Amino acid sequence: MPVSSTLAPAQDHHGDALMQQLSVARTVLLQAVDLLDNYLISDEQLSVSSKYLPGSTIGKHLRHARDHFVLLAACMLQPPPYILSYDTRIRNTPMETSRTSAKEALLEAIRQLDEVVPTADMKAPITLHAITPHMQEFQSTFGRELWFASLHCVHHWSMVRVIAGEMNIKLTDDFGFAPSTLVYQDRAAPLGKAKI
């Protein structure tokens, strides 16, 4: 049997897996767009400081979670070897205080993912640099980091949920819940059912 024919199913599987991960990333980022369009009514709500999560605001969480996707996409647009650091973020950006800027930034992150993910190699090796506070270096892959960025985003959406609750804003039942939780609870939510 030719080598190329033995590799095709694995490559198709990796391509399917990446497109599934892209769908998850798009879903969680679009949850934030929905928050901005349908739940927040003023820019000021983005910068209300949480009573329960000191120093936290909805705007800061939106920016922080989005940054991980943008940094990963930018990493993959460079020639290999791929070097990634999630610690090189810009803080106090317009998206932290402006609903319009936040929506534009989130939609731009989705556009970048739509450009990068379909042609990426799920197993592309990435060297991750992290301040822990000591400088550390880890070996990872593009697929693993794309999943991390989505799960990290869900984690921050759960904090957004708390801050919104402090302002008496009730979000959708699935906002800020991990796919594994939604599947376990058999919830009828976009991330609660496998799309096979």
Side-chain angles (χ1 to χ4, degrees), residues 18-38:
L18 273 179
M19 295 314 290
Q20 289 168 352
Q21 284 203 46
L22 176 59
S23 175
V24 171
R26 291 177 110 265
T27 298
V28 293
L29 288 168
L30 287 171
Q31 284 180 324
V33 172
D34 182 57
L35 168 79
L36 295 164
D37 283 346
N38 299 307

Side-chain angles (χ1 to χ4, degrees), residues 8-111:
Q11 290 169 343
D12 288 345
H13 170 70
H14 292 157
D16 290 347
L18 273 179
M19 295 314 290
Q20 289 168 352
Q21 284 203 46
L22 176 59
S23 175
V24 171
R26 291 177 110 265
T27 298
V28 293
L29 288 168
L30 287 171
Q31 284 180 324
V33 172
D34 182 57
L35 168 79
L36 295 164
D37 283 346
N38 299 307
Y39 294 89
L40 301 185
I41 58 172
S42 72
D43 287 346
E44 290 73 28
Q45 289 173 313
L46 287 171
S47 55
V48 170
S49 290
S50 172
K51 295 179 287 193
Y52 303 112
L53 305 168
S56 286
T57 68
I58 289 175
K60 287 179 182 179
H61 285 290
L62 295 182
R63 190 263 315 146
H64 173 79
R66 173 213 169 255
D67 282 355
H68 282 60
F69 289 109
V70 171
L71 290 166
L72 178 59
C75 168
M76 295 306 291
L77 289 172
Q78 300 301 314
Y82 300 117
I83 310 291
L84 174 63
S85 172
Y86 293 119
D87 299 318
T88 56
R89 298 185 308 274
I90 299 172
R91 292 166 172 84
N92 302 313
T93 64
M95 78 172 290
E96 294 178 38
T97 56
S98 162
R99 287 180 301 148
T100 300
S101 295
K103 181 176 177 178
E104 289 170 0
L106 290 161
L107 292 174
E108 175 60 18
I110 292 170
R111 188 201 63 73

